[in-house]
Amino acid sequence: MPHLQNKKLAQVAIVVRDIEAAIDKWTALLGCERPSKMTTDPGLTRNQEVDGQPSDAQAHLAFFDLGGVQLELIQPLGGESSWQKILDERGEGVHHIAFWTEDMQQTQEALAPYGPLWHIGDMGGGGQFAYFKTEAELGVTLEILENKKTPL
């Protein structure tokens, strides 16, 4: 059975309703500098798809660097997305854990027994992200990040 080639955890992400309040709480808890908030580009400009359909979803994001692993906060801003789906179904909480890959197709094959591809899009700098519906098998959604864009 194929397996993940890179086992280094990249991030843990939490979906929230109010990113400003969440940033304040995490900044206080961690005793660190407040990260800046960014807004993703409209999904259609980033080749975003959810369940194989184009999506123009956007989100506010904030990232805390925790020494090799990021804590990501995500506030959905509308449009069809895994972010909004999980927020609607479960409320605020863990959205995904993420790993880096050098070969998205190999990683997709490794994850196939655990759940289907769900939500994809391009990142800045030529990379891409892909979320997989792995909650039923693994207890959490997995995100795979790639610094380049290889075929899915």
Side-chain angles (χ1 to χ4, degrees):
M1 173 182 274
H3 61 275
L4 291 178
Q5 298 299 311
N6 184 350
K7 294 163 194 68
K8 185 176 180 190
L9 188 64
Q11 62 184 206
V12 175
I14 298 171
V15 66
V16 300
R17 287 188 174 83
D18 180 347
I19 199 164
E20 293 294 341
I23 291 171
D24 289 343
K25 290 175 189 176
W26 281 99
T27 298
L29 175 68
L30 297 172
C32 63
E33 196 171 308
R34 191 177 204 280
S36 58
K37 173 185 79 176
M38 65 167 284
T39 303
T40 63
D41 293 333
L44 295 178
T45 68
R46 294 293 186 162
N47 300 311
Q48 196 167 214
E49 294 181 6
V50 177
D51 288 324
Q53 299 300 311
S55 170
D56 209 28
Q58 287 184 270
H60 287 314
L61 307 176
F63 298 91
F64 291 86
D65 183 5
L66 304 177
V69 175
Q70 288 180 327
L71 172 64
E72 178 183 17
L73 302 177
I74 305 168
Q75 177 188 336
L77 296 175
E80 182 71 22
S81 69
S82 62
W83 314 309
Q84 190 65 56
K85 182 95 169 159
I86 287 176
L87 186 62
D88 290 346
E89 288 179 359
R90 292 194 331 249
E92 294 183 309
V94 173
H95 178 269
H96 68 265
I97 61 171
F99 295 89
W100 286 101
T101 188
E102 296 291 325
D103 185 340
M104 191 65 84
Q105 188 170 17
Q106 184 280 330
T107 303
Q108 183 177 3
E109 291 169 10
L111 291 177
Y114 303 99
L117 182 63
W118 184 12
H119 179 173
I120 62 170
D122 296 341
M123 298 187 307
Q128 66 182 326
F129 68 88
Y131 295 108
F132 293 83
K133 284 185 184 179
T134 54
E135 284 189 5
E137 291 293 322
L138 300 175
V140 68
T141 297
L142 289 186
E143 180 185 29
I144 303 300
L145 303 166
E146 185 178 50
N147 280 322
K148 59 185 179 191
K149 188 169 181 179
T150 59
L152 278 166

